[in-house]
Short mmCIF file of all heavy atoms in Angstrom, two decimals:
data_model
loop_
_atom_site.label_atom_id
_atom_site.label_comp_id
_atom_site.label_asym_id
_atom_site.label_seq_id
_atom_site.Cartn_x
_atom_site.Cartn_y
_atom_site.Cartn_z
N SER A 1 24.23 -5.00 21.33
CA SER A 1 23.55 -5.86 20.36
C SER A 1 22.07 -5.53 20.20
O SER A 1 21.38 -6.16 19.42
CB SER A 1 23.68 -7.34 20.78
OG SER A 1 23.07 -7.54 22.03
N ARG A 2 21.58 -4.55 20.92
CA ARG A 2 20.17 -4.19 20.81
C ARG A 2 19.98 -3.22 19.66
O ARG A 2 20.73 -2.27 19.48
CB ARG A 2 19.69 -3.55 22.11
CG ARG A 2 18.18 -3.54 22.27
CD ARG A 2 17.82 -2.94 23.60
NE ARG A 2 18.09 -1.52 23.59
CZ ARG A 2 17.14 -0.59 23.71
NH1 ARG A 2 15.90 -0.94 23.80
NH2 ARG A 2 17.45 0.68 23.72
N ALA A 3 18.95 -3.46 18.85
CA ALA A 3 18.68 -2.58 17.72
C ALA A 3 18.28 -1.19 18.20
O ALA A 3 17.62 -1.05 19.23
CB ALA A 3 17.58 -3.17 16.84
N ASP A 4 18.69 -0.18 17.47
CA ASP A 4 18.29 1.18 17.79
C ASP A 4 16.76 1.28 17.73
O ASP A 4 16.14 0.74 16.81
CB ASP A 4 18.92 2.12 16.74
CG ASP A 4 18.79 3.58 17.13
OD1 ASP A 4 17.67 3.98 17.51
OD2 ASP A 4 19.79 4.30 17.06
N PRO A 5 16.11 1.94 18.71
CA PRO A 5 14.65 2.08 18.65
C PRO A 5 14.15 2.70 17.35
O PRO A 5 13.04 2.41 16.91
CB PRO A 5 14.35 2.99 19.85
CG PRO A 5 15.49 2.79 20.80
CD PRO A 5 16.69 2.53 19.93
N VAL A 6 14.98 3.55 16.73
CA VAL A 6 14.59 4.16 15.46
C VAL A 6 14.40 3.08 14.39
O VAL A 6 13.53 3.19 13.52
CB VAL A 6 15.65 5.18 15.00
CG1 VAL A 6 15.31 5.75 13.64
CG2 VAL A 6 15.77 6.30 16.03
N VAL A 7 15.20 2.01 14.47
CA VAL A 7 15.09 0.93 13.50
C VAL A 7 13.74 0.25 13.62
O VAL A 7 13.07 -0.04 12.61
CB VAL A 7 16.23 -0.09 13.69
CG1 VAL A 7 16.04 -1.29 12.77
CG2 VAL A 7 17.58 0.56 13.41
N GLY A 8 13.31 -0.01 14.86
CA GLY A 8 12.01 -0.64 15.06
C GLY A 8 10.87 0.20 14.49
O GLY A 8 9.95 -0.34 13.86
N VAL A 9 10.94 1.51 14.69
CA VAL A 9 9.92 2.41 14.13
C VAL A 9 9.98 2.41 12.61
O VAL A 9 8.95 2.37 11.92
CB VAL A 9 10.10 3.83 14.68
CG1 VAL A 9 9.13 4.79 14.00
CG2 VAL A 9 9.89 3.87 16.19
N ALA A 10 11.19 2.42 12.06
CA ALA A 10 11.36 2.43 10.61
C ALA A 10 10.79 1.17 9.97
O ALA A 10 10.20 1.22 8.88
CB ALA A 10 12.84 2.58 10.25
N VAL A 11 10.95 0.03 10.63
CA VAL A 11 10.40 -1.23 10.11
C VAL A 11 8.88 -1.14 10.03
O VAL A 11 8.26 -1.53 9.03
CB VAL A 11 10.83 -2.42 10.99
CG1 VAL A 11 10.08 -3.68 10.58
CG2 VAL A 11 12.33 -2.65 10.87
N LYS A 12 8.25 -0.60 11.07
CA LYS A 12 6.79 -0.46 11.07
C LYS A 12 6.33 0.50 9.98
O LYS A 12 5.32 0.25 9.31
CB LYS A 12 6.32 0.02 12.43
CG LYS A 12 6.56 -0.98 13.56
CD LYS A 12 6.21 -0.39 14.91
CE LYS A 12 6.55 -1.36 16.03
NZ LYS A 12 6.30 -0.80 17.37
N VAL A 13 7.06 1.61 9.79
CA VAL A 13 6.71 2.56 8.74
C VAL A 13 6.83 1.91 7.37
O VAL A 13 5.97 2.09 6.50
CB VAL A 13 7.61 3.82 8.83
CG1 VAL A 13 7.40 4.71 7.60
CG2 VAL A 13 7.32 4.59 10.11
N ALA A 14 7.90 1.14 7.15
CA ALA A 14 8.10 0.48 5.87
C ALA A 14 6.96 -0.50 5.58
O ALA A 14 6.46 -0.58 4.45
CB ALA A 14 9.44 -0.25 5.86
N LYS A 15 6.52 -1.24 6.59
CA LYS A 15 5.42 -2.17 6.39
C LYS A 15 4.12 -1.43 6.11
O LYS A 15 3.31 -1.86 5.28
CB LYS A 15 5.28 -3.08 7.62
CG LYS A 15 6.44 -4.06 7.78
CD LYS A 15 6.24 -4.97 8.97
CE LYS A 15 7.43 -5.91 9.14
NZ LYS A 15 7.52 -6.88 8.03
N TYR A 16 3.91 -0.31 6.79
CA TYR A 16 2.72 0.49 6.56
C TYR A 16 2.69 1.00 5.11
O TYR A 16 1.65 0.95 4.44
CB TYR A 16 2.68 1.67 7.54
CG TYR A 16 1.43 2.50 7.46
CD1 TYR A 16 0.30 2.16 8.20
CD2 TYR A 16 1.36 3.63 6.65
CE1 TYR A 16 -0.85 2.93 8.15
CE2 TYR A 16 0.21 4.40 6.58
CZ TYR A 16 -0.89 4.03 7.33
OH TYR A 16 -2.04 4.79 7.26
N VAL A 17 3.83 1.49 4.64
CA VAL A 17 3.92 1.96 3.25
C VAL A 17 3.59 0.83 2.29
O VAL A 17 2.92 1.03 1.27
CB VAL A 17 5.34 2.52 2.97
CG1 VAL A 17 5.55 2.75 1.48
CG2 VAL A 17 5.55 3.82 3.74
N GLY A 18 4.04 -0.39 2.61
CA GLY A 18 3.73 -1.53 1.75
C GLY A 18 2.24 -1.83 1.69
O GLY A 18 1.69 -2.12 0.62
N TYR A 19 1.55 -1.74 2.83
CA TYR A 19 0.11 -1.97 2.84
C TYR A 19 -0.63 -0.91 2.03
O TYR A 19 -1.55 -1.22 1.27
CB TYR A 19 -0.41 -1.96 4.28
CG TYR A 19 0.09 -3.11 5.13
CD1 TYR A 19 0.38 -2.92 6.49
CD2 TYR A 19 0.30 -4.37 4.59
CE1 TYR A 19 0.84 -3.97 7.27
CE2 TYR A 19 0.77 -5.41 5.37
CZ TYR A 19 1.04 -5.20 6.70
OH TYR A 19 1.51 -6.22 7.47
N VAL A 20 -0.22 0.35 2.19
CA VAL A 20 -0.85 1.42 1.42
C VAL A 20 -0.61 1.20 -0.07
O VAL A 20 -1.53 1.35 -0.90
CB VAL A 20 -0.30 2.79 1.86
CG1 VAL A 20 -0.80 3.90 0.94
CG2 VAL A 20 -0.71 3.10 3.30
N GLY A 21 0.62 0.87 -0.43
CA GLY A 21 0.93 0.61 -1.84
C GLY A 21 0.11 -0.53 -2.41
O GLY A 21 -0.35 -0.49 -3.56
N LEU A 22 -0.10 -1.57 -1.59
CA LEU A 22 -0.86 -2.73 -2.07
C LEU A 22 -2.29 -2.35 -2.42
O LEU A 22 -2.81 -2.74 -3.48
CB LEU A 22 -0.85 -3.82 -1.00
CG LEU A 22 -1.51 -5.14 -1.37
CD1 LEU A 22 -0.78 -5.81 -2.53
CD2 LEU A 22 -1.55 -6.07 -0.17
N LEU A 23 -2.96 -1.58 -1.56
CA LEU A 23 -4.35 -1.22 -1.86
C LEU A 23 -4.42 -0.23 -3.02
O LEU A 23 -5.39 -0.26 -3.80
CB LEU A 23 -5.04 -0.69 -0.61
CG LEU A 23 -4.62 0.65 -0.01
CD1 LEU A 23 -5.44 1.79 -0.61
CD2 LEU A 23 -4.82 0.64 1.50
N LEU A 24 -3.40 0.65 -3.16
CA LEU A 24 -3.39 1.58 -4.31
C LEU A 24 -3.10 0.86 -5.61
O LEU A 24 -3.44 1.36 -6.69
CB LEU A 24 -2.33 2.67 -4.08
CG LEU A 24 -2.59 3.64 -2.92
CD1 LEU A 24 -1.48 4.68 -2.86
CD2 LEU A 24 -3.95 4.31 -3.07
N LEU A 25 -2.49 -0.30 -5.54
CA LEU A 25 -2.23 -1.10 -6.74
C LEU A 25 -3.42 -1.97 -7.09
O LEU A 25 -3.86 -2.02 -8.25
CB LEU A 25 -0.98 -1.96 -6.51
CG LEU A 25 -0.64 -3.00 -7.59
CD1 LEU A 25 -0.39 -2.31 -8.93
CD2 LEU A 25 0.57 -3.81 -7.16
N VAL A 26 -3.98 -2.66 -6.11
CA VAL A 26 -5.07 -3.60 -6.36
C VAL A 26 -6.36 -2.88 -6.76
O VAL A 26 -7.07 -3.31 -7.68
CB VAL A 26 -5.31 -4.48 -5.12
CG1 VAL A 26 -6.58 -5.31 -5.27
CG2 VAL A 26 -4.11 -5.38 -4.88
N GLY A 27 -6.67 -1.76 -6.08
CA GLY A 27 -7.90 -1.04 -6.37
C GLY A 27 -8.03 -0.62 -7.83
O GLY A 27 -9.01 -1.00 -8.50
N PRO A 28 -7.08 0.15 -8.36
CA PRO A 28 -7.18 0.54 -9.77
C PRO A 28 -7.19 -0.64 -10.73
O PRO A 28 -7.94 -0.65 -11.71
CB PRO A 28 -5.93 1.41 -9.97
CG PRO A 28 -5.62 1.95 -8.63
CD PRO A 28 -5.98 0.85 -7.67
N ALA A 29 -6.34 -1.65 -10.47
CA ALA A 29 -6.29 -2.80 -11.38
C ALA A 29 -7.64 -3.51 -11.42
O ALA A 29 -8.13 -3.88 -12.50
CB ALA A 29 -5.19 -3.76 -10.92
N LEU A 30 -8.28 -3.70 -10.27
CA LEU A 30 -9.55 -4.41 -10.22
C LEU A 30 -10.66 -3.60 -10.87
O LEU A 30 -11.45 -4.13 -11.68
CB LEU A 30 -9.90 -4.69 -8.75
CG LEU A 30 -11.14 -5.54 -8.49
CD1 LEU A 30 -10.94 -6.93 -9.05
CD2 LEU A 30 -11.44 -5.59 -7.00
N VAL A 31 -10.75 -2.31 -10.54
CA VAL A 31 -11.82 -1.48 -11.10
C VAL A 31 -11.64 -1.29 -12.60
O VAL A 31 -12.62 -1.35 -13.37
CB VAL A 31 -11.87 -0.13 -10.36
CG1 VAL A 31 -12.83 0.83 -11.07
CG2 VAL A 31 -12.29 -0.32 -8.91
N LEU A 32 -10.43 -1.04 -13.06
CA LEU A 32 -10.20 -0.87 -14.50
C LEU A 32 -10.51 -2.14 -15.27
O LEU A 32 -10.94 -2.09 -16.43
CB LEU A 32 -8.75 -0.44 -14.75
CG LEU A 32 -8.39 0.99 -14.35
CD1 LEU A 32 -6.91 1.25 -14.56
CD2 LEU A 32 -9.21 2.01 -15.12
N ALA A 33 -10.29 -3.30 -14.65
CA ALA A 33 -10.54 -4.56 -15.35
C ALA A 33 -12.02 -4.90 -15.43
O ALA A 33 -12.45 -5.56 -16.39
CB ALA A 33 -9.80 -5.70 -14.63
N ALA A 34 -12.84 -4.44 -14.47
CA ALA A 34 -14.22 -4.92 -14.41
C ALA A 34 -15.30 -3.85 -14.33
O ALA A 34 -16.43 -4.10 -14.74
CB ALA A 34 -14.38 -5.87 -13.21
N LEU A 35 -14.99 -2.67 -13.81
CA LEU A 35 -16.05 -1.69 -13.54
C LEU A 35 -15.87 -0.35 -14.24
O LEU A 35 -16.75 0.51 -14.15
CB LEU A 35 -16.16 -1.44 -12.02
CG LEU A 35 -16.55 -2.63 -11.15
CD1 LEU A 35 -16.55 -2.23 -9.67
CD2 LEU A 35 -17.92 -3.17 -11.54
N TRP A 36 -14.77 -0.11 -14.89
CA TRP A 36 -14.49 1.23 -15.41
C TRP A 36 -15.30 1.52 -16.68
O TRP A 36 -15.27 0.76 -17.64
CB TRP A 36 -13.00 1.34 -15.72
CG TRP A 36 -12.55 2.76 -15.97
CD1 TRP A 36 -12.20 3.30 -17.17
CD2 TRP A 36 -12.40 3.79 -15.00
NE1 TRP A 36 -11.84 4.61 -17.03
CE2 TRP A 36 -11.96 4.95 -15.69
CE3 TRP A 36 -12.60 3.88 -13.64
CZ2 TRP A 36 -11.71 6.15 -15.05
CZ3 TRP A 36 -12.35 5.07 -12.99
CH2 TRP A 36 -11.90 6.19 -13.70
N PRO A 37 -16.04 2.65 -16.71
CA PRO A 37 -16.77 3.03 -17.92
C PRO A 37 -15.82 3.31 -19.09
O PRO A 37 -14.77 3.96 -18.91
CB PRO A 37 -17.51 4.31 -17.50
CG PRO A 37 -17.56 4.24 -15.99
CD PRO A 37 -16.29 3.56 -15.58
N ARG A 38 -16.15 2.84 -20.27
CA ARG A 38 -15.26 2.97 -21.42
C ARG A 38 -15.02 4.43 -21.82
O ARG A 38 -13.97 4.76 -22.36
CB ARG A 38 -15.84 2.21 -22.62
CG ARG A 38 -15.76 0.70 -22.47
CD ARG A 38 -16.30 0.00 -23.70
NE ARG A 38 -16.16 -1.44 -23.60
CZ ARG A 38 -15.09 -2.12 -24.01
NH1 ARG A 38 -14.08 -1.47 -24.55
NH2 ARG A 38 -15.05 -3.42 -23.88
N ARG A 39 -16.00 5.30 -21.55
CA ARG A 39 -15.87 6.68 -22.02
C ARG A 39 -14.89 7.49 -21.17
O ARG A 39 -14.40 8.54 -21.60
CB ARG A 39 -17.23 7.38 -22.03
CG ARG A 39 -17.78 7.67 -20.64
CD ARG A 39 -19.05 8.47 -20.68
NE ARG A 39 -19.47 8.84 -19.32
CZ ARG A 39 -19.02 9.89 -18.66
NH1 ARG A 39 -18.15 10.72 -19.23
NH2 ARG A 39 -19.45 10.15 -17.43
#
């Protein structure tokens, strides 16, 4: 009944990918909305 250790590592990797994706999504959206030069 114990989860494979690979599963535990995979869960951490998946969460890490989510954090990276979040900052790559929020950064462009925020800068394009308020700071991006029109030219």
Side-chain angles (χ1 to χ4, degrees):
S1 62
R2 199 178 70 116
D4 191 313
V6 176
V7 174
V9 174
V11 171
K12 295 174 184 177
V13 171
K15 291 182 182 293
Y16 185 87
V17 168
Y19 294 144
V20 172
L22 184 64
L23 68 90
L24 294 182
L25 173 60
V26 171
L30 186 64
V31 171
L32 288 176
L35 297 178
W36 193 253
R38 288 182 177 271
R39 70 175 186 85

